[in-house]
Amino acid sequence: MLIKTNSNDFSHALTSEITSQRVYAGRRDLVKLMATGVAGAALASWASREAHAQVAGATPRPGKLTALPGAKSGVAGAITMDKLTEYKDASSYNNFYEFGTDKADPAKNAHTLKTSPWTVEIEGLVKKPAKYALEDLLKLSAQEERIYRLRCVEGWSMVIPWVGYSLSELIKKVEPLSSAKYLEFVTQADPKTMPFVGSRVLDWPYVEGLRMDEAMHPLTLLTFGMYGEVLPNQNGAPVRLVVPWKYGFKSGKSLVKIRFTDKPPATAWNKAAANEYGFFSNVNPEVDHPRWSQATERRIGEDGLFAKKRKTLMFNGYEAQVGQLYAGMDLKKFF
Ligand code: MTE
């Protein structure tokens, strides 16, 4: 709100309007603390919180989990002009079959997932096999915030500010052998903490795979957070993959192992129904799922029951970045 003075024709804002209400309230508290002598520590923590807020840029943090800010990414295609999905939708409408098959199950059940200590093992056709503690994996490269669309094979999509770094950074560190052509991503399968591991829906652990050039593509994100915070358990804490031009199921959650191989790995959904879920699973409005069309999608959060669906874009809108990876391939055959 602007205050107009009566004498001159100029306007000025209240201090509480120049600064956001939240920051303003924080400063007021700080002034109070100064008076009590504990301001030093408070100032340090306030300053670091402000620094986080600045790095995270425009994306407001929900403030429920530990902060994990990332600098805005320079990777082409990482920023979309789409409106962000609300955090509450992105963290309550999930697929994570280890915690149940209903979209609401993961948010309800995934609190049992034990995310610390956590290690990710690198094995197979690499010069430097390794076991990374999560803390070391986090430090391997600078965290970036990347806004990506995630399009689920079931026909819905979200737009999420993910935090992580290109998987290629890790791949380069472990030095793949020239015989390594594929990567197999193995995810956590612990029946003690994941109530649906053992159910017959899938052959556990949930495994996914990428061709080496797909894994090396800068858009492929090793992901530790979203909305400026560490990942909620239901979104695949503490570390997952996000491959934005492929159907969501290619983005394995709660990764524990990455194996470099010379053959395409047997993936969970391909093993469950090979005629429905191919190895590539690139988002493609022209190739239908055998049981439904893939031409349109519903954006979670902006849909009343009667809202118009959106047209699904080739490679989920990332064709300029990834199209050349599939030049000359028959995408109907290699779906
Ligand atoms: N990873 C594991 N381990 N288990 C799963 O069931 N579901 C996949 C993928 N990764 C899944 C998984 C599917 S089908 C989708 S659409 C995305 O995760 C959903 O990610 P989100 O819940 O963060 O939106």
Side-chain angles (χ1 to χ4, degrees), residues 202-287:
L202 287 171
D203 187 11
W204 310 100
Y206 189 101
V207 169
E208 256 311 328
L210 291 175
R211 212 169 57 182
M212 180 62 85
D213 58 347
E214 298 175 324
M216 281 299 289
H217 194 283
L219 280 178
T220 302
L221 191 70
L222 190 64
T223 309
F224 302 90
M226 56 187 227
Y227 301 84
E229 297 182 357
V230 297
L231 288 169
N233 287 358
Q234 60 270 31
N235 290 84
V239 54
R240 68 174 293 174
L241 220 56
V242 181
V243 193
W245 71 94
K246 293 180 177 276
Y247 291 118
F249 69 88
K250 296 295 290 180
S251 297
K253 293 177 166 180
S254 304
L255 292 174
V256 291
K257 194 178 281 187
I258 302 176
R259 188 181 293 131
F260 289 72
T261 66
D262 53 0
K263 292 183 193 62
T267 61
W269 281 107
N270 188 255
K271 279 198 275 180
N275 62 325
E276 300 192 3
Y277 309 106
F279 177 78
F280 287 97
S281 289
N282 293 315
V283 173
N284 189 339
E286 285 156 29
V287 178

Coordinates of all heavy atoms in Angstrom, one line a residue, residues 202-287:
L202 N 5.3 -55.1 -8.6 CA 6.6 -55.0 -9.3 C 7.6 -56.0 -8.8 O 7.4 -56.5 -7.7 CB 7.1 -53.6 -9.2 CG 6.4 -52.5 -10.0 CD1 7.0 -51.1 -9.6 CD2 6.5 -52.7 -11.5
D203 N 8.6 -56.3 -9.6 CA 9.7 -57.1 -9.2 C 10.7 -56.1 -8.5 O 11.3 -55.3 -9.2 CB 10.3 -57.7 -10.4 CG 11.4 -58.7 -10.1 OD1 11.5 -59.1 -8.9 OD2 12.1 -59.2 -11.0
W204 N 10.9 -56.2 -7.2 CA 11.7 -55.2 -6.5 C 13.2 -55.7 -6.5 O 13.4 -56.9 -6.6 CB 11.2 -55.1 -5.0 CG 9.8 -54.9 -4.9 CD1 8.8 -55.8 -4.7 CD2 9.1 -53.6 -5.2 NE1 7.6 -55.2 -4.8 CE2 7.7 -53.9 -5.1 CE3 9.5 -52.4 -5.5 CZ2 6.8 -52.9 -5.2 CZ3 8.6 -51.4 -5.6 CH2 7.2 -51.6 -5.5
P205 N 14.2 -54.8 -6.4 CA 14.0 -53.4 -6.3 C 13.5 -52.7 -7.6 O 13.7 -53.3 -8.7 CB 15.4 -52.9 -6.0 CG 16.3 -53.9 -6.6 CD 15.6 -55.2 -6.5
Y206 N 13.0 -51.5 -7.5 CA 12.6 -50.7 -8.7 C 13.9 -50.3 -9.4 O 14.8 -49.7 -8.8 CB 11.9 -49.5 -8.2 CG 11.2 -48.6 -9.2 CD1 9.8 -48.7 -9.4 CD2 11.9 -47.7 -10.0 CE1 9.2 -47.9 -10.4 CE2 11.3 -46.9 -10.9 CZ 10.0 -47.0 -11.1 OH 9.3 -46.3 -12.1
V207 N 14.0 -50.7 -10.6 CA 15.2 -50.5 -11.4 C 14.9 -49.7 -12.6 O 13.9 -49.9 -13.3 CB 15.9 -51.8 -11.8 CG1 17.0 -51.6 -12.8 CG2 16.4 -52.5 -10.6
E208 N 15.7 -48.7 -13.0 CA 15.6 -48.0 -14.2 C 16.9 -48.0 -15.0 O 17.9 -48.4 -14.4 CB 15.1 -46.6 -14.0 CG 13.6 -46.4 -14.3 CD 13.2 -47.0 -15.7 OE1 14.1 -46.9 -16.6 OE2 12.1 -47.5 -15.9
G209 N 16.9 -47.5 -16.2 CA 18.1 -47.5 -17.0 C 18.1 -46.4 -18.0 O 17.1 -45.9 -18.4
L210 N 19.3 -45.9 -18.4 CA 19.5 -45.0 -19.5 C 20.7 -45.4 -20.3 O 21.6 -46.1 -19.9 CB 19.8 -43.6 -18.9 CG 18.8 -42.8 -18.1 CD1 19.4 -41.5 -17.5 CD2 17.6 -42.5 -19.0
R211 N 20.6 -45.0 -21.6 CA 21.8 -45.1 -22.5 C 22.8 -44.1 -22.0 O 22.5 -43.1 -21.5 CB 21.3 -44.8 -23.9 CG 22.0 -45.6 -25.0 CD 21.3 -45.4 -26.3 NE 21.2 -44.0 -26.7 CZ 20.5 -43.6 -27.8 NH1 19.9 -44.4 -28.6 NH2 20.5 -42.3 -28.1
M212 N 24.1 -44.4 -22.3 CA 25.2 -43.5 -21.8 C 25.0 -42.0 -22.3 O 25.1 -41.1 -21.5 CB 26.5 -44.0 -22.3 CG 27.7 -43.2 -21.8 SD 27.9 -43.1 -20.1 CE 28.8 -44.6 -19.8
D213 N 24.6 -41.8 -23.5 CA 24.5 -40.5 -24.0 C 23.3 -39.8 -23.3 O 23.3 -38.5 -23.1 CB 24.4 -40.4 -25.6 CG 23.2 -41.2 -26.1 OD1 22.6 -42.0 -25.4 OD2 22.9 -41.0 -27.3
E214 N 22.3 -40.5 -23.0 CA 21.1 -39.9 -22.3 C 21.6 -39.5 -20.8 O 21.2 -38.4 -20.3 CB 20.0 -40.9 -22.2 CG 19.4 -41.3 -23.5 CD 18.3 -42.4 -23.4 OE1 18.5 -43.3 -22.5 OE2 17.4 -42.3 -24.2
A215 N 22.3 -40.4 -20.2 CA 22.8 -40.2 -18.8 C 23.7 -39.0 -18.8 O 23.8 -38.2 -17.8 CB 23.4 -41.4 -18.3
M216 N 24.5 -38.8 -19.9 CA 25.5 -37.7 -19.9 C 24.9 -36.4 -20.4 O 25.5 -35.4 -20.3 CB 26.6 -38.1 -21.0 CG 27.7 -39.1 -20.4 SD 28.6 -38.4 -19.0 CE 29.6 -37.1 -19.8
H217 N 23.7 -36.4 -20.8 CA 23.0 -35.2 -21.3 C 22.9 -34.2 -20.1 O 22.4 -34.6 -19.0 CB 21.7 -35.5 -21.9 CG 21.2 -34.3 -22.7 ND1 20.6 -33.2 -22.1 CD2 21.2 -34.0 -24.0 CE1 20.3 -32.3 -23.0 NE2 20.6 -32.8 -24.2
P218 N 23.3 -32.9 -20.3 CA 23.2 -32.0 -19.2 C 21.8 -31.9 -18.5 O 21.8 -31.5 -17.3 CB 23.7 -30.7 -19.8 CG 23.8 -30.9 -21.2 CD 23.9 -32.3 -21.5
L219 N 20.7 -32.2 -19.2 CA 19.4 -32.0 -18.6 C 19.2 -33.1 -17.5 O 18.3 -32.9 -16.7 CB 18.3 -32.1 -19.7 CG 18.0 -30.9 -20.5 CD1 16.9 -31.3 -21.5 CD2 17.5 -29.7 -19.6
T220 N 19.9 -34.3 -17.6 CA 19.6 -35.4 -16.7 C 20.2 -34.9 -15.3 O 21.3 -34.7 -15.1 CB 20.3 -36.7 -17.2 OG1 19.8 -37.0 -18.5 CG2 20.0 -37.8 -16.2
L221 N 19.2 -34.8 -14.4 CA 19.6 -34.2 -13.1 C 19.6 -35.2 -11.9 O 18.7 -36.0 -11.7 CB 18.5 -33.2 -12.7 CG 18.8 -32.2 -11.6 CD1 20.0 -31.3 -11.9 CD2 17.6 -31.4 -11.1
L222 N 20.8 -35.3 -11.3 CA 20.9 -36.0 -10.0 C 20.3 -35.1 -9.0 O 20.8 -34.0 -8.7 CB 22.4 -36.4 -9.7 CG 22.6 -37.3 -8.6 CD1 22.0 -38.7 -8.9 CD2 24.1 -37.5 -8.3
T223 N 19.2 -35.5 -8.4 CA 18.4 -34.5 -7.7 C 18.3 -34.8 -6.2 O 18.1 -35.9 -5.7 CB 16.9 -34.6 -8.2 OG1 17.0 -34.5 -9.7 CG2 16.0 -33.6 -7.7
F224 N 18.6 -33.7 -5.4 CA 18.6 -33.9 -3.9 C 17.5 -33.0 -3.3 O 17.3 -33.2 -2.1 CB 20.0 -33.4 -3.4 CG 21.2 -34.1 -4.0 CD1 21.8 -33.7 -5.1 CD2 21.6 -35.2 -3.3 CE1 22.9 -34.3 -5.6 CE2 22.7 -35.9 -3.8 CZ 23.4 -35.5 -5.0
G225 N 16.9 -32.2 -4.0 CA 15.9 -31.3 -3.4 C 14.9 -30.8 -4.4 O 14.9 -31.0 -5.6
M226 N 13.9 -30.1 -3.8 CA 12.9 -29.3 -4.6 C 12.4 -28.2 -3.8 O 12.4 -28.2 -2.6 CB 11.8 -30.3 -5.1 CG 11.0 -31.0 -4.0 SD 9.8 -32.2 -4.7 CE 8.4 -31.8 -3.8
Y227 N 12.0 -27.1 -4.5 CA 11.5 -25.9 -3.8 C 12.5 -25.4 -2.8 O 12.1 -24.9 -1.7 CB 10.1 -26.1 -3.2 CG 9.0 -26.6 -4.2 CD1 8.9 -27.9 -4.5 CD2 8.2 -25.6 -4.8 CE1 8.0 -28.3 -5.5 CE2 7.2 -26.0 -5.7 CZ 7.1 -27.4 -6.0 OH 6.2 -27.8 -6.9
G228 N 13.8 -25.5 -3.0 CA 14.8 -24.9 -2.1 C 15.0 -25.7 -0.9 O 15.7 -25.2 0.0
E229 N 14.5 -26.9 -0.8 CA 14.7 -27.8 0.4 C 15.1 -29.2 -0.1 O 14.9 -29.6 -1.2 CB 13.3 -27.9 1.1 CG 12.8 -26.6 1.7 CD 11.6 -26.7 2.5 OE1 11.0 -27.8 2.6 OE2 11.1 -25.7 3.0
V230 N 15.5 -30.0 0.9 CA 15.8 -31.4 0.6 C 14.5 -32.1 0.2 O 13.4 -31.6 0.5 CB 16.4 -32.1 1.8 CG1 17.8 -31.5 2.2 CG2 15.5 -32.1 3.0
L231 N 14.6 -33.2 -0.6 CA 13.4 -33.8 -1.1 C 12.6 -34.4 0.1 O 13.2 -35.0 1.0 CB 13.9 -35.1 -1.9 CG 14.5 -34.8 -3.3 CD1 15.1 -36.1 -3.8 CD2 13.4 -34.2 -4.2
P232 N 11.3 -34.2 0.0 CA 10.5 -34.9 1.0 C 10.6 -36.4 0.7 O 10.8 -36.8 -0.5 CB 9.0 -34.5 0.6 CG 9.1 -33.4 -0.4 CD 10.5 -33.4 -1.0
N233 N 10.4 -37.3 1.7 CA 10.6 -38.7 1.5 C 9.7 -39.2 0.3 O 10.2 -40.0 -0.5 CB 10.1 -39.5 2.7 CG 11.2 -39.3 3.8 OD1 12.2 -38.7 3.6 ND2 10.9 -39.9 5.0
Q234 N 8.5 -38.7 0.2 CA 7.6 -39.3 -0.8 C 8.0 -38.9 -2.3 O 7.6 -39.5 -3.2 CB 6.1 -38.8 -0.6 CG 5.9 -37.3 -0.6 CD 6.1 -36.7 0.8 OE1 6.8 -37.2 1.6 NE2 5.3 -35.6 1.1
N235 N 8.9 -37.9 -2.4 CA 9.4 -37.5 -3.7 C 10.8 -38.2 -4.0 O 11.4 -37.8 -5.0 CB 9.5 -36.0 -3.8 CG 8.1 -35.4 -3.9 OD1 7.5 -35.1 -2.9 ND2 7.6 -35.1 -5.1
G236 N 11.2 -39.1 -3.2 CA 12.4 -39.9 -3.5 C 13.6 -39.5 -2.7 O 14.8 -39.7 -3.3
A237 N 13.5 -39.0 -1.5 CA 14.6 -38.7 -0.7 C 15.5 -39.9 -0.5 O 15.1 -41.0 -0.5 CB 14.1 -38.2 0.7
P238 N 16.8 -39.7 -0.2 CA 17.5 -38.4 -0.2 C 18.1 -38.0 -1.6 O 18.5 -36.9 -1.8 CB 18.6 -38.6 0.8 CG 19.0 -40.0 0.6 CD 17.7 -40.8 0.3
V239 N 18.0 -39.0 -2.6 CA 18.6 -38.7 -3.9 C 17.8 -39.5 -5.0 O 17.6 -40.7 -4.8 CB 20.1 -38.9 -3.9 CG1 20.5 -40.2 -3.5 CG2 20.7 -38.6 -5.3
R240 N 17.5 -38.8 -6.0 CA 16.7 -39.5 -7.1 C 17.2 -38.9 -8.5 O 18.1 -38.0 -8.5 CB 15.2 -39.2 -7.0 CG 15.0 -37.7 -7.3 CD 13.5 -37.3 -7.3 NE 12.8 -37.9 -8.4 CZ 11.5 -37.9 -8.6 NH1 10.7 -37.3 -7.7 NH2 10.9 -38.4 -9.6
L241 N 16.7 -39.4 -9.5 CA 17.0 -38.9 -10.8 C 15.8 -38.1 -11.3 O 14.6 -38.4 -11.0 CB 17.2 -40.1 -11.7 CG 18.3 -40.0 -12.7 CD1 19.6 -39.7 -12.0 CD2 18.4 -41.3 -13.5
V242 N 16.0 -37.1 -12.2 CA 14.9 -36.5 -12.9 C 15.4 -36.4 -14.4 O 16.4 -35.8 -14.7 CB 14.5 -35.1 -12.4 CG1 13.4 -34.6 -13.2 CG2 14.1 -35.2 -10.9
V243 N 14.7 -37.1 -15.2 CA 15.0 -37.1 -16.7 C 13.8 -36.5 -17.4 O 12.8 -37.2 -17.7 CB 15.2 -38.5 -17.2 CG1 15.9 -38.5 -18.6 CG2 16.1 -39.3 -16.2
P244 N 13.8 -35.1 -17.6 CA 12.6 -34.4 -17.9 C 11.9 -34.7 -19.2 O 10.7 -34.5 -19.4 CB 13.0 -33.0 -17.8 CG 14.4 -32.9 -18.1 CD 15.0 -34.2 -17.5
W245 N 12.7 -35.3 -20.2 CA 12.0 -35.5 -21.5 C 11.5 -37.0 -21.6 O 10.9 -37.4 -22.6 CB 13.0 -35.3 -22.6 CG 14.2 -36.3 -22.8 CD1 14.2 -37.4 -23.6 CD2 15.4 -36.3 -22.1 NE1 15.4 -38.1 -23.5 CE2 16.2 -37.4 -22.6 CE3 16.0 -35.4 -21.2 CZ2 17.5 -37.7 -22.1 CZ3 17.3 -35.7 -20.7 CH2 18.0 -36.8 -21.2
K246 N 11.6 -37.7 -20.5 CA 11.0 -39.1 -20.5 C 9.8 -39.2 -19.5 O 9.7 -38.3 -18.6 CB 12.1 -40.1 -20.0 CG 13.2 -40.2 -21.1 CD 14.3 -41.1 -20.7 CE 15.4 -41.2 -21.7 NZ 15.0 -42.2 -22.8
Y247 N 9.0 -40.2 -19.7 CA 7.9 -40.4 -18.8 C 8.4 -40.5 -17.4 O 9.5 -41.1 -17.2 CB 7.0 -41.6 -19.2 CG 6.3 -41.3 -20.5 CD1 6.5 -42.1 -21.6 CD2 5.3 -40.3 -20.5 CE1 5.8 -41.8 -22.8 CE2 4.6 -40.0 -21.7 CZ 4.9 -40.8 -22.9 OH 4.2 -40.5 -24.0
G248 N 7.7 -40.0 -16.4 CA 8.1 -39.9 -15.0 C 8.7 -41.2 -14.4 O 9.6 -41.1 -13.6
F249 N 8.2 -42.4 -14.9 CA 8.7 -43.6 -14.3 C 10.2 -43.9 -14.5 O 10.8 -44.7 -13.8 CB 7.8 -44.8 -14.6 CG 7.9 -45.3 -16.0 CD1 8.9 -46.2 -16.4 CD2 7.0 -44.8 -17.0 CE1 9.0 -46.6 -17.7 CE2 7.1 -45.2 -18.3 CZ 8.1 -46.2 -18.7
K250 N 10.8 -43.1 -15.5 CA 12.2 -43.3 -15.7 C 13.1 -42.6 -14.7 O 14.3 -42.9 -14.5 CB 12.6 -42.7 -17.1 CG 12.0 -43.4 -18.3 CD 12.5 -44.8 -18.5 CE 13.9 -45.0 -19.0 NZ 14.2 -46.4 -19.2
S251 N 12.4 -41.8 -13.9 CA 13.1 -41.0 -12.8 C 13.1 -41.7 -11.5 O 12.2 -41.4 -10.7 CB 12.5 -39.6 -12.7 OG 12.6 -38.9 -13.9
G252 N 14.0 -42.7 -11.3 CA 14.0 -43.5 -10.2 C 14.2 -42.7 -8.9 O 15.0 -41.8 -8.8
K253 N 13.5 -43.1 -7.8 CA 13.6 -42.5 -6.5 C 14.4 -43.2 -5.5 O 14.5 -44.5 -5.6 CB 12.2 -42.3 -5.9 CG 11.3 -41.4 -6.7 CD 9.9 -41.4 -6.1 CE 9.0 -40.3 -6.7 NZ 7.7 -40.3 -6.1
S254 N 15.0 -42.5 -4.6 CA 15.8 -43.1 -3.5 C 16.8 -44.1 -4.0 O 16.8 -45.3 -3.8 CB 14.9 -43.8 -2.5 OG 13.9 -42.9 -2.0
L255 N 17.8 -43.5 -4.8 CA 18.8 -44.3 -5.5 C 19.8 -44.9 -4.5 O 20.3 -44.1 -3.6 CB 19.6 -43.5 -6.5 CG 18.9 -42.9 -7.7 CD1 19.8 -42.0 -8.5 CD2 18.5 -44.1 -8.6
V256 N 20.2 -46.1 -4.7 CA 21.3 -46.7 -3.8 C 22.5 -47.2 -4.7 O 23.5 -47.4 -4.1 CB 20.8 -47.8 -2.9 CG1 19.9 -47.3 -1.8 CG2 20.1 -48.9 -3.7
K257 N 22.2 -47.4 -5.9 CA 23.3 -48.0 -6.7 C 23.2 -47.5 -8.2 O 22.1 -47.5 -8.8 CB 23.2 -49.5 -6.7 CG 24.4 -50.2 -7.2 CD 24.3 -51.7 -7.1 CE 24.6 -52.2 -5.7 NZ 24.6 -53.7 -5.5
I258 N 24.4 -47.2 -8.8 CA 24.4 -47.0 -10.2 C 25.4 -47.9 -10.8 O 26.6 -47.9 -10.4 CB 24.8 -45.5 -10.5 CG1 23.8 -44.6 -9.8 CG2 24.8 -45.3 -12.0 CD1 24.1 -43.1 -10.0
R259 N 25.0 -48.8 -11.7 CA 25.8 -49.8 -12.3 C 26.0 -49.5 -13.8 O 25.1 -49.3 -14.5 CB 25.2 -51.2 -12.1 CG 26.1 -52.3 -12.5 CD 25.3 -53.7 -12.3 NE 25.1 -54.0 -10.9 CZ 23.9 -54.4 -10.4 NH1 22.9 -54.5 -11.2 NH2 23.8 -54.7 -9.2
F260 N 27.3 -49.5 -14.2 CA 27.6 -49.2 -15.6 C 27.7 -50.6 -16.4 O 28.4 -51.5 -15.9 CB 28.9 -48.5 -15.7 CG 28.8 -47.0 -15.3 CD1 28.7 -46.7 -13.9 CD2 28.9 -46.0 -16.2 CE1 28.6 -45.4 -13.5 CE2 28.7 -44.7 -15.8 CZ 28.6 -44.4 -14.4
T261 N 27.0 -50.7 -17.5 CA 26.9 -52.0 -18.1 C 27.1 -51.9 -19.6 O 27.1 -50.8 -20.2 CB 25.5 -52.6 -17.9 OG1 24.5 -51.8 -18.6 CG2 25.1 -52.7 -16.4
D262 N 27.2 -53.0 -20.3 CA 27.3 -53.0 -21.8 C 26.0 -53.4 -22.4 O 25.9 -53.3 -23.7 CB 28.5 -53.9 -22.2 CG 28.4 -55.3 -21.7 OD1 27.4 -55.6 -21.0 OD2 29.3 -56.1 -22.0
K263 N 25.0 -53.7 -21.6 CA 23.7 -54.1 -22.2 C 22.6 -53.3 -21.6 O 22.7 -52.9 -20.4 CB 23.4 -55.6 -21.9 CG 24.3 -56.5 -22.7 CD 24.0 -58.0 -22.4 CE 25.1 -58.9 -22.9 NZ 26.4 -58.6 -22.2
P264 N 21.5 -53.1 -22.3 CA 20.4 -52.4 -21.6 C 19.9 -53.1 -20.4 O 19.6 -54.3 -20.5 CB 19.3 -52.4 -22.7 CG 19.9 -52.8 -24.0 CD 21.2 -53.6 -23.6
P265 N 19.8 -52.4 -19.3 CA 19.4 -53.1 -18.0 C 17.9 -53.5 -18.1 O 17.1 -52.8 -18.8 CB 19.6 -52.1 -16.9 CG 19.9 -50.8 -17.6 CD 20.2 -51.0 -19.0
A266 N 17.5 -54.5 -17.4 CA 16.1 -54.9 -17.3 C 15.4 -54.0 -16.3 O 15.8 -54.0 -15.2 CB 16.0 -56.4 -16.8
T267 N 14.5 -53.2 -16.8 CA 13.9 -52.2 -15.9 C 12.6 -52.7 -15.4 O 11.9 -53.5 -15.9 CB 13.7 -50.9 -16.7 OG1 12.8 -51.1 -17.8 CG2 15.0 -50.4 -17.2
A268 N 12.2 -52.1 -14.2 CA 11.0 -52.6 -13.5 C 9.7 -52.7 -14.3 O 9.1 -53.7 -14.4 CB 10.8 -51.8 -12.2
W269 N 9.4 -51.5 -14.9 CA 8.1 -51.5 -15.7 C 8.2 -52.3 -17.0 O 7.2 -52.9 -17.4 CB 7.7 -50.1 -15.9 CG 7.1 -49.5 -14.7 CD1 7.6 -48.6 -13.8 CD2 5.8 -49.9 -14.1 NE1 6.8 -48.4 -12.8 CE2 5.6 -49.1 -12.9 CE3 4.8 -50.7 -14.5 CZ2 4.5 -49.2 -12.1 CZ3 3.6 -50.9 -13.7 CH2 3.5 -50.1 -12.5
N270 N 9.4 -52.4 -17.6 CA 9.5 -53.2 -18.8 C 9.4 -54.6 -18.4 O 8.7 -55.4 -19.2 CB 10.9 -52.9 -19.4 CG 11.0 -53.5 -20.8 OD1 11.7 -54.5 -20.9 ND2 10.4 -53.0 -21.8
K271 N 9.9 -55.1 -17.3 CA 9.7 -56.5 -16.9 C 8.3 -56.8 -16.6 O 7.8 -57.8 -16.9 CB 10.6 -56.7 -15.6 CG 12.0 -57.0 -15.9 CD 12.7 -57.7 -14.8 CE 13.2 -56.7 -13.7 NZ 13.9 -57.3 -12.6
A272 N 7.6 -55.8 -16.0 CA 6.2 -56.0 -15.6 C 5.2 -56.0 -16.9 O 4.3 -56.8 -16.9 CB 5.7 -54.9 -14.7
A273 N 5.5 -55.2 -17.9 CA 4.7 -55.2 -19.1 C 5.4 -54.6 -20.2 O 5.4 -53.4 -20.5 CB 3.4 -54.3 -18.8
A274 N 6.2 -55.4 -20.9 CA 7.1 -55.0 -22.0 C 6.4 -54.3 -23.1 O 6.9 -53.4 -23.8 CB 7.9 -56.2 -22.5
N275 N 5.2 -54.7 -23.4 CA 4.4 -54.1 -24.6 C 3.9 -52.7 -24.2 O 3.5 -52.0 -25.1 CB 3.3 -55.1 -25.0 CG 2.3 -55.2 -23.9 OD1 2.6 -55.3 -22.7 ND2 1.0 -55.3 -24.3
E276 N 3.9 -52.4 -22.9 CA 3.3 -51.1 -22.5 C 4.4 -50.1 -22.2 O 4.3 -48.9 -22.4 CB 2.4 -51.2 -21.3 CG 1.2 -52.2 -21.6 CD 0.1 -52.1 -20.6 OE1 0.3 -51.3 -19.6 OE2 -0.8 -52.9 -20.7
Y277 N 5.6 -50.6 -21.6 CA 6.6 -49.7 -21.2 C 7.9 -50.1 -21.7 O 8.6 -51.0 -21.3 CB 6.6 -49.7 -19.6 CG 5.3 -49.4 -19.0 CD1 4.6 -50.5 -18.4 CD2 4.7 -48.2 -19.1 CE1 3.3 -50.3 -17.9 CE2 3.4 -48.0 -18.6 CZ 2.7 -49.0 -18.0 OH 1.5 -48.8 -17.5
G278 N 8.3 -49.3 -22.8 CA 9.6 -49.6 -23.4 C 10.8 -49.1 -22.7 O 10.7 -48.4 -21.7
F279 N 12.0 -49.4 -23.2 CA 13.2 -49.0 -22.5 C 13.4 -47.4 -22.6 O 13.7 -46.8 -21.6 CB 14.4 -49.6 -23.1 CG 15.7 -49.1 -22.4 CD1 16.1 -49.6 -21.2 CD2 16.5 -48.2 -23.1 CE1 17.3 -49.1 -20.6 CE2 17.7 -47.7 -22.5 CZ 18.1 -48.2 -21.2
F280 N 13.0 -46.9 -23.8 CA 13.3 -45.4 -24.0 C 12.3 -44.6 -23.2 O 12.6 -43.7 -22.5 CB 13.4 -45.1 -25.4 CG 14.7 -45.6 -26.0 CD1 14.7 -46.8 -26.7 CD2 15.8 -44.9 -25.9 CE1 15.9 -47.3 -27.2 CE2 17.0 -45.3 -26.4 CZ 17.1 -46.5 -27.1
S281 N 11.0 -44.9 -23.5 CA 9.9 -44.1 -22.8 C 10.1 -42.6 -22.9 O 9.9 -41.9 -21.9 CB 9.8 -44.6 -21.4 OG 9.2 -45.9 -21.3
N282 N 10.4 -42.1 -24.1 CA 10.5 -40.7 -24.3 C 9.0 -40.2 -24.4 O 8.2 -40.8 -25.0 CB 11.2 -40.4 -25.6 CG 12.7 -40.7 -25.5 OD1 13.3 -40.4 -24.5 ND2 13.2 -41.4 -26.5
V283 N 8.8 -39.0 -23.8 CA 7.4 -38.5 -23.9 C 7.2 -38.2 -25.4 O 8.0 -37.5 -26.1 CB 7.3 -37.2 -23.1 CG1 6.0 -36.5 -23.4 CG2 7.5 -37.4 -21.6
N284 N 6.1 -38.8 -25.9 CA 5.8 -38.7 -27.4 C 4.3 -38.7 -27.6 O 3.7 -39.8 -27.5 CB 6.5 -39.9 -28.1 CG 6.4 -39.7 -29.6 OD1 5.6 -39.0 -30.1 ND2 7.3 -40.4 -30.3
P285 N 3.7 -37.5 -28.0 CA 2.3 -37.5 -28.1 C 1.8 -38.3 -29.3 O 0.6 -38.6 -29.4 CB 2.0 -36.0 -28.4 CG 3.3 -35.4 -28.8 CD 4.4 -36.2 -28.2
E286 N 2.7 -38.7 -30.2 CA 2.3 -39.5 -31.4 C 2.3 -41.0 -31.2 O 1.9 -41.8 -32.0 CB 3.2 -39.1 -32.6 CG 2.9 -37.8 -33.1 CD 4.0 -37.1 -33.8 OE1 4.9 -37.9 -34.4 OE2 4.1 -35.9 -33.8
V287 N 2.9 -41.4 -30.1 CA 2.9 -42.9 -29.8 C 2.0 -43.2 -28.6 O 2.4 -42.8 -27.5 CB 4.4 -43.4 -29.6 CG1 4.4 -44.9 -29.2 CG2 5.2 -43.1 -30.8

